Amino acid sequence: MTEATIELANEAATEALAHALGAALRAGDLVILEGDLGAGKTFFVGALARALGVPDDVPVQSPTFALLHEYPEATPPLVHSDLYRLSDPSELDELDLEALLRAGEHVVCVEWGERFTSVLGEPALLLRLERTGGHTRRAHLRGREALVRTLLA
Ligand SMILES: Nc1ncnc2c1ncn2[C@@H]1O[C@H](COP(=O)(O)OP(=O)(O)OP(=O)(O)O)[C@@H](O)[C@H]1O
Ligand SMILES: [Mg+2]
């Protein structure tokens, strides 16, 4: 496990980080996103989706109500979940994210997932976004050493 902090000056910097992550992820990887409401978690996953090849005309929206969106257009296919409204790990059963992760065919991004790592397992990357200004963010990274090093480069 390696930790690092990156200052993001604007949305383009966040997109660049997401693109770098897209190039470093493998099928079966879990990415957990943390940070206050509006920190940029969904924005980041949207940029990651583009990096993985989801066409611009496919909207990437917050899965707050559906809990899970799948993007088969991505390579590897992308799953985006948001567990903000869940309070108990047992509620994860019907989403079956564990089975998805075990199958190892998707990249799985989970907003507010840190509370559920006992079920989901350890992420390849935990990304915590902190709002430092209107358009500036601080990204706290913790994850697989090779992956974090790639993101710092
Ligand atoms: N540097 C930046 N990085 C990411 N988002 C930014 C940045 N600057 C401004 N923003 C804006 O901040 C907002 C982040 O909203 P977003 O829905 O991604 O937050 P979230 O963390 O997913 O919130 P929630 O917890 O409600 O799901 C977007 O409107 C985005 O355009
Ligand atoms: Mg969100």
Side-chain angles (χ1 to χ4, degrees):
M1 285 294 167
T2 302
E3 294 194 43
T5 301
I6 300 178
E7 303 295 335
L8 303 168
N10 48 39
E11 289 179 338
T14 302
E15 286 171 343
L17 182 63
H19 277 251
L21 179 63
L25 285 173
R26 305 188 290 248
D29 279 345
L30 170 66
V31 176
I32 288 181
L33 300 108
E34 295 289 332
D36 291 342
L37 298 170
K41 302 180 293 297
T42 298
F43 181 90
F44 184 90
V45 176
L48 177 65
R50 302 300 170 220
L52 296 177
V54 176
D56 285 338
D57 61 350
V58 176
V60 177
Q61 283 159 351
S62 175
T64 309
F65 297 100
L67 291 181
L68 194 150
H69 291 159
E70 187 175 355
Y71 299 92
E73 307 90 342
T75 308
L78 175 69
V79 166
H80 180 197
S81 180
D82 183 330
L83 304 182
Y84 182 70
R85 280 142 47 92
L86 298 201
S87 48
D88 190 273
S90 67
E91 297 175 83
L92 270 177
D93 288 357
E94 57 184 289
L95 286 180
D96 221 4
L97 283 170
E98 308 103 278
L100 245 160
L101 284 162
R102 249 184 284 116
E105 287 164 10
H106 294 75
V107 163
V108 179
C109 292
V110 182
E111 297 184 38
W112 302 101
E114 199 180 11
R115 292 176 297 151
F116 300 102
T117 47
S118 61
V119 180
L120 299 175
E122 284 305 313
L125 179 70
L126 170 65
L127 172 63
R128 192 183 311 278
L129 289 169
E130 186 188 342
R131 198 176 182 280
T132 50
H135 292 277
T136 56
R137 303 289 187 266
R138 184 168 296 140
H140 302 271
L141 315 174
R142 181 157 59 86
R144 206 160 62 208
E145 188 179 345
L147 191 132
V148 172
R149 258 196 275 113
T150 305
L151 298 182
L152 290 175

